[in-house]
Amino acid sequence: MDDRGHAEQRLVWFGCGTEAMMPQMTDERVRAGLSHEEDLSLLHEVSMKTAGVSRLEMCIQCGTCGGSCPVAKDMDHTPRMLFAMLRAGMREEVLRSNTQWICVSCYHCVVRCPQEVHIADVMYTLKGMAIKAKLYANSTAPDFSQTFVDMVESYGRSFEMGLASRHYLKHFPLRLPGMMPMGLGMITKGRMALTPKRIKHMDQLTKILNRAKQLEMTS
Amino acid sequence: MNKYLLYPGCSMESSAKAYMESLNAIVEPLDLHFEEIEDWNCCGATEYLGINLIPAYSLIARNLALASKQKNPVNGTGGTRTVVAPCSACYLNLAKADHYMQERPALGLKVNEALAAGDLQYKAGTLDVRHLIDILVYDVGLEKIRDAVVRPLTGLKVVPYMGCMLPRPDYQHRWSDHEHPTELDDLLRALGADVIDYPLTTQCCGGHMTQIGPETAFELIRRLVADADERGAQMMVTVCPMCQMNVDAYQNEMNNHFGTDYHMPILFFTQLMGLAFGREPKELGIGAEMVNSRNALANIGVEVPVTQEPAAPRKKDEGLPMPRRWTKHEDRKEAVK
């Protein structure tokens, strides 16, 4: 795609102290003799699949992203480390990381990044890639997203009651009794619709989404 | 009269009904006119974007396409190109889709190809997507809002909680600052409230983590509530349905998790505007919050009728197993005590 000029700009990264910071090289990469050179193909793949202009190639490994992240302590890798792994071509390790699933999309890293890397959007790309490759952390997050998408694809609107109850029933059944007072409170206070609301032209939305899915496949 | 196209978003119909009710109560005193986008659909929140890129942006763009069809002058009332979203996530998604369709024409082409399957089109850049508070502060103006106040909120100590998605990433450069915007502070001050400086104003409430990694979310909610409490706030004020839902409805769970006992009501800024404009609490959806605001509002002489409270919360469920992940920080509970 020619509309992302600086995707082509490559920064040669000298990465001081990388041995200490970088995760282990995979066996496959060592066998393939790639251990001593950069293979930026994975980095570019992720960058190209990202909405907007990701500027992922511009990362200078300063660590501002992880330092600004409110949930970094629960992540397997900080975004900085994940991007170093992308640069090292560690596809499987990156896609298996829980980092993209812990990301809360608060954009703190995005507005602070001195290189204006669109980190939050890269996280969305990694989620999509992890789902397609069926490689993801032992997390209920992909399933939650899929349930949400199913609701939207059937009704055109989200259905909080159906979503929360279905998700809790499936993944945290033991938490359900503890959640009952809250659920009942929400219902008595009129804050939970018991039935989903369907948009009028659902057929139109379905046609659009089906066509969009075809376009996604060919890209 | 200022006319706008309204994109309410799904939560305004259910969990954030109070936001919608109070929004309706302030349009008349401020001479605003909102026309709902007909047959709008969900924006996909933060979920769809991670599953399928082109469908996610097509889902969002259908709303923009419907809005651009509707923007033309009808019955001589004058048209508008401004879409107003009261929900931060909806606002961000709509603004982002518009921005990216311009920034990456290839994405715009594909999205329009998908829209064409439903006989729709959207030319990126033809609409202005703005959040409700942006309209109130910059179009209506604080002067006019101050003039409409008949019951100043003097003595009500509030912290303004903007949440994360509204001022970030700010493609349109609408806000005074990414990390500490002052729009909500200014608005609350115009209502006469005692606004406390709140450095966490744009910190995340946990978003969907309450559903998938509750421990992660509880910690974020704890930070917000504990800091507001330490600063002597009687109430937190928000502009976002997700923030309200997390801090309000999950506050009890958070208390159980950490063994704390916070009681920090969180209301929508439109509810406080309604009160200041002399409306009654029940017209503004006050009482629908899970952590009730009765005591806080008594400070300004507003009486909130007692509604039936849900059954008392269960005691801390110590013996139950935790979900598969997110247990490694369990010792945090101890640290907080």
Side-chain angles (χ1 to χ4, degrees), chain A residues 147-213:
Chain A
T147 311
F148 187 100
V149 167
D150 290 346
M151 301 270 174
V152 173
E153 288 181 352
S154 355
Y155 309 118
R157 302 260 168 102
S158 90
F159 175 37
E160 291 167 340
M161 171 82 182
L163 178 63
S165 54
R166 202 202 279 188
H167 190 74
Y168 263 77
L169 208 60
K170 197 166 165 190
H171 295 287
F172 311 116
L174 290 170
R175 271 171 183 263
L176 270 176
M179 299 299 288
M180 284 305 274
M182 181 196 129
L184 283 177
M186 294 291 280
I187 293 167
T188 43
K189 285 168 188 277
R191 292 178 60 178
M192 278 276 187
L194 295 175
T195 47
K197 199 164 173 177
R198 189 188 292 265
I199 62 168
K200 253 188 285 171
H201 300 293
M202 194 57 220
D203 51 330
Q204 181 193 45
L205 179 60
T206 307
K207 276 184 203 156
I208 292 172
L209 293 179
N210 286 344
R211 182 76 188 106
K213 280 176 195 168

Side-chain angles (χ1 to χ4, degrees), chain B residues 314-332:
Chain B
R314 250 166 51 104
K315 282 285 168 220
K316 211 174 162 184
D317 41 8
E318 209 62 85
L320 292 178
M322 287 308 194
R324 288 176 287 172
R325 286 193 64 88
W326 292 285
T327 48
K328 62 180 173 177
H329 291 287
E330 267 213 284
D331 48 350
R332 223 182 297 143

Side-chain angles (χ1 to χ4, degrees), chain A residues 4 50 52-53 74 102 106-107 112 121 128 138 145 153 156-157 160 191 200-201 204 211 216 219, chain B residues 14-15 39-40 42 47-48 53-54 62 96 100 103-104 110 113 118 168 179 216 244 325 329:
Chain A
R4 41 196 307 127
T50 302
V53 177
D74 289 345
I102 296 277
C106 76
Y107 295 82
R112 283 185 175 178
D121 283 317
N138 184 11
S145 294
E153 288 181 352
R157 302 260 168 102
E160 291 167 340
R191 292 178 60 178
K200 253 188 285 171
H201 300 293
Q204 181 193 45
R211 182 76 188 106
E216 179 101 340
S219 65
Chain B
S14 54
S15 58
D39 206 38
W40 55 271
C42 172
E47 310 306 329
Y48 216 141
L53 190 72
I54 305 294
R62 178 176 176 268
K96 195 160 123 166
Y100 284 176
E103 192 183 61
R104 284 187 70 184
K110 279 192 176 176
E113 219 180 309
R168 295 194 287 254
E179 301 203 25
T216 302
Q244 203 282 338
R325 286 193 64 88
H329 291 287

Side-chain angles (χ1 to χ4, degrees), chain A residues 66-121:
Chain A
S68 306
C69 181
V71 287
K73 65 184 182 334
D74 289 345
M75 289 176 169
D76 291 343
H77 312 95
T78 60
R80 176 197 68 77
M81 187 179 262
L82 207 64
F83 298 164
M85 288 157 71
L86 283 178
R87 202 177 282 270
M90 300 166 70
R91 179 183 295 267
E92 200 178 316
E93 289 86 340
V94 168
L95 297 186
R96 272 195 204 286
S97 176
N98 77 351
T99 301
Q100 51 268 33
W101 302 106
I102 296 277
C103 168
V104 284
S105 303
C106 76
Y107 295 82
H108 219 141
C109 52
V110 178
V111 295
R112 283 185 175 178
C113 176
Q115 293 293 82
E116 295 176 31
V117 177
H118 278 284
I119 301 165
D121 283 317

Side-chain angles (χ1 to χ4, degrees), chain A residues 155-158 197-201 204-205, chain B residues 6-14 20 35-43 59-60 62-64 66-67 70 90 94:
Chain A
Y155 309 118
R157 302 260 168 102
S158 90
K197 199 164 173 177
R198 189 188 292 265
I199 62 168
K200 253 188 285 171
H201 300 293
Q204 181 193 45
L205 179 60
Chain B
L6 179 69
Y7 177 80
C10 306
S11 50
M12 297 289 271
E13 298 188 320
S14 54
M20 193 69 193
E35 189 180 301
E36 189 169 325
I37 297 170
E38 240 179 88
D39 206 38
W40 55 271
N41 57 260
C42 172
C43 72
L59 181 82
I60 303 168
R62 178 176 176 268
N63 298 306
L64 295 170
L66 292 175
Q70 209 172 315
C90 298
L94 293 172

